[in-house]
Amino acid sequence: MGKRHEAIGIKQAIRLEWMQKTANLLLAGLDAKTVRQELHKFLTERKGDGSEGKRSDQTRTFVVNNLMKIWVSPEPELISFRDASLAFLRGYPSMGLAVHWGMVSAVYPFWFNVAQQTGRLLALQDRVTQTQIINRLKEQYGDRQTVSRYARFVIRSFVAWGALKDSDAKGCYKKSAPVNVADSDLAILLFESALHATQEAKGALGLLLNNPAFFPFQLPEITGDFVSQCSDRIEVVRYGLDDELLQLREITVERK
């Protein structure tokens, strides 16, 4: 899983409605080739800022590749998580924001890390600047030009998704009101996405409940026993008196 965690990958802003369009095509039973064709048609005159207008073949291809990677053809170890996320989305389309957030975080840990740095800053102050977020990311990924450029795409995606709001000052953002995630199964899917987004594939339950990468959401209190009962993809390990560690179970991937 190392390459997925080291890569940045997101080369254009990704809008929530594009994610939903991709999932809907998949839910309709279309094959990968047809989904790709439909996305190219859909995005021909749709730009990342929400406006309509002709976009270049290159920028459209970047976005289509991201959408395909997230929902249609993720890494083999993410297939069962994708299937569970898709099933939840079919049953509860109104909770799409959290489901899509989990999928993109698992497939592109860079998104998760940008969210984590954003959430940490918002826990300390009412507003956060693009520069502050990028500076923290450079400590993690190194001072590469691609980090600055692609982080801006992710931050603009946060705004487009409604997780952040533009302030009066350019490049400065406010937190939106958090979305209440009342469904415990959805919360467990978000935990699973965090485990996939983490190189070690494990994390303390208490830290997952308060993970700054989930700053757009209000998560319910959940016990390790409940996680064990509801997910066969997460193992709960108890250590100390009251501490519980969640880790991904080993997944056997069939090679064709």
Side-chain angles (χ1 to χ4, degrees), residues 10 12-16 48 97 100-102 104-105 108-122 128-130 133-134 137 150-166 173-177 212-217:
I10 297 175
Q12 289 289 303
I14 300 174
R15 298 188 65 83
L16 183 60
L97 174 63
H100 291 301
W101 192 275
V104 69
S105 294
Y108 290 109
F110 183 70
W111 175 290
F112 182 83
N113 289 326
V114 177
Q116 206 163 44
Q117 299 299 350
T118 303
R120 283 173 179 156
L121 288 163
L122 286 171
V128 60
T129 68
Q130 181 175 273
I133 299 169
I134 290 173
L137 287 166
Y150 295 164
R152 285 194 287 270
F153 291 137
V154 176
I155 295 166
R156 290 313 304 171
S157 299
F158 291 172
V159 176
W161 288 38
L164 291 177
K165 294 186 292 187
D166 286 313
Y173 311 97
K174 300 179 289 184
K175 182 181 177 182
S176 299
F214 299 137
F215 73 87
F217 309 106

Side-chain angles (χ1 to χ4, degrees), residues 45-65:
E45 295 188 357
R46 286 179 168 87
K47 296 185 176 182
D49 61 2
S51 65
E52 293 186 5
K54 198 76 174 177
R55 64 188 306 166
S56 71
D57 291 344
Q58 184 184 48
T59 59
R60 186 179 71 249
T61 298
F62 283 155
V63 176
V64 170
N65 287 344

Side-chain angles (χ1 to χ4, degrees), residues 23-246:
N24 286 343
L25 291 170
L26 203 55
L27 286 168
L30 300 183
D31 60 37
K33 181 179 179 181
T34 306
V35 172
R36 183 179 291 276
Q37 291 171 342
E38 289 296 317
L39 287 175
H40 271 287
K41 286 193 290 185
F42 178 72
L43 293 170
T44 297
E45 295 188 357
R46 286 179 168 87
K47 296 185 176 182
D49 61 2
S51 65
E52 293 186 5
K54 198 76 174 177
R55 64 188 306 166
S56 71
D57 291 344
Q58 184 184 48
T59 59
R60 186 179 71 249
T61 298
F62 283 155
V63 176
V64 170
N65 287 344
N66 284 149
L67 295 171
M68 292 292 293
K69 186 76 171 175
I70 294 165
W71 274 116
V72 184
S73 48
E75 296 294 329
E77 69 267 18
L78 296 174
I79 295 295
S80 59
F81 172 67
R82 186 278 310 272
D83 291 346
S85 299
L86 201 61
F88 190 93
L89 191 60
R90 185 193 295 274
Y92 304 95
S94 64
M95 295 307 297
L97 174 63
V99 178
H100 291 301
W101 192 275
M103 268 313 297
V104 69
S105 294
V107 174
Y108 290 109
F110 183 70
W111 175 290
F112 182 83
N113 289 326
V114 177
Q116 206 163 44
Q117 299 299 350
T118 303
R120 283 173 179 156
L121 288 163
L122 286 171
L124 301 172
Q125 55 203 50
D126 293 332
R127 302 190 180 198
V128 60
T129 68
Q130 181 175 273
T131 301
Q132 289 173 327
I133 299 169
I134 290 173
N135 284 342
R136 288 199 168 197
L137 287 166
K138 285 180 177 179
E139 295 174 7
Q140 184 175 358
Y141 288 91
D143 192 1
R144 292 181 279 164
Q145 185 179 5
T146 51
V147 172
S148 301
R149 185 165 68 250
Y150 295 164
R152 285 194 287 270
F153 291 137
V154 176
I155 295 166
R156 290 313 304 171
S157 299
F158 291 172
V159 176
W161 288 38
L164 291 177
K165 294 186 292 187
D166 286 313
S167 70
D168 296 335
K170 185 178 180 181
C172 184
Y173 311 97
K174 300 179 289 184
K175 182 181 177 182
S176 299
V179 175
N180 184 34
V181 176
D183 191 297
S184 298
D185 288 332
L186 177 55
I188 293 171
L189 281 176
L190 285 173
F191 295 162
E192 188 174 352
S193 78
L195 298 179
H196 281 296
T198 306
Q199 186 96 34
E200 298 79 14
K202 59 185 177 182
L205 176 57
L207 295 179
L208 288 169
L209 277 166
N210 297 289
N211 196 301
F214 299 137
F215 73 87
F217 309 106
Q218 182 68 47
L219 301 180
E221 288 294 330
I222 295 178
T223 65
D225 285 338
F226 187 81
V227 174
S228 294
Q229 294 167 16
C230 296
S231 176
D232 58 3
R233 296 182 302 279
I234 298 176
E235 181 180 2
V236 179
V237 180
R238 288 172 178 78
Y239 63 100
L241 292 175
D242 301 307
D243 296 319
E244 296 171 307
L245 186 75
L246 270 56

